[in-house]
Amino acid sequence: MKDKKIGFVGAGNMAGALIKGLLHSGTVTPSQIQASDVREERLKELAAEHGIAVTKDNAKLASWSDVIVLAVKPQVIDKVMVPIAGSIGSHALLVSIAAGVPIESLESRLPADARVVRTMPNTAAIALAGATAIAPGTHASEADLELARQLFEATGRVVVLEESLLDAVTGLSGSGPAYVMLMIEALADGGVKVGLGRDTALLLAAQTVYGAAKLQLETGEHPGRLKDMVTSPGGTAIAGLHTLEAGGLRRTLIDAVEAASTRAAELGEQMAKKLRK
């Protein structure tokens, strides 16, 4: 990454998280990053915060970049891709964060043999604790995948999958922060019910979720084994777990991931049909 010029087309929250992660990790310097956006205020904000160059000219950005990060809403893909397609260098890699936009649709709007990697990050990237899946396009090489991996590892953890699995990723880690926020809120409500102050309950709930996740990631232990470490005979944890199982928490979470994955597939197909017109 040290000799790569990275251009962000679109400067929203996810682009900001990636820029922050790359710079904080020391992976690149501010001179290696440029960003474009239609919002003047957002560009000024990024320039002031990170010392990067900014522009409203997507064609200029594309011709400058070795890696073009497409971080725009799916609805504006056609408008954005026209100037990029006319300016992208043969050496450049396009990394797409555009939700639901298939690789096929991106490749059809670029020069032949253009190299594309499609990604599905999540909002935890803003806290540099994201989970991202990346999928190679038709012409993407192992070196391209490694480059994309390094890009997103600056904001969290990365897995490489086939594009056909990205809907499942959307249902699990893409939508997952919303499920976890609901659980944190519910745990805090429980704390308030048994006498804790709201702020204290919320802090303890959030830190408990964070700590449990960190413990599993760092030990690599099966979550069932880690659960059993907390669960003593006749104790408090087993009483709480019994209530969760009776309430169908496990089944509800499985159903939520499945429902979100199905909806992601439906929305992706709708977007693909729209882009074929």
Side-chain angles (χ1 to χ4, degrees), residues 1-4 6 17-33 50 128 150-151 153-155:
M1 296 287 286
K2 292 191 180 300
D3 61 345
K4 300 296 183 184
I6 306 169
L18 284 169
I19 292 169
K20 176 183 176 182
L22 287 167
L23 294 176
H24 282 214
S25 68
T27 306
V28 298
T29 64
S31 64
Q32 292 174 255
I33 296 177
H50 300 300
L128 305 185
Q150 290 176 29
L151 182 69
E153 281 181 344
T155 62

Side-chain angles (χ1 to χ4, degrees), residues 29-51:
T29 64
S31 64
Q32 292 174 255
I33 296 177
Q34 289 190 20
S36 67
D37 201 277
V38 296
R39 297 167 297 164
E40 186 73 34
E41 287 303 311
R42 177 56 173 165
L43 293 177
K44 288 180 179 178
E45 180 185 341
L46 285 176
E49 183 177 356
H50 300 300

Side-chain angles (χ1 to χ4, degrees), residues 240-255:
L241 286 168
H242 175 80
T243 302
L244 291 174
E245 292 288 6
L249 178 66
R250 185 190 301 265
R251 176 176 178 175
T252 301
L253 287 172
I254 292 171
D255 287 349

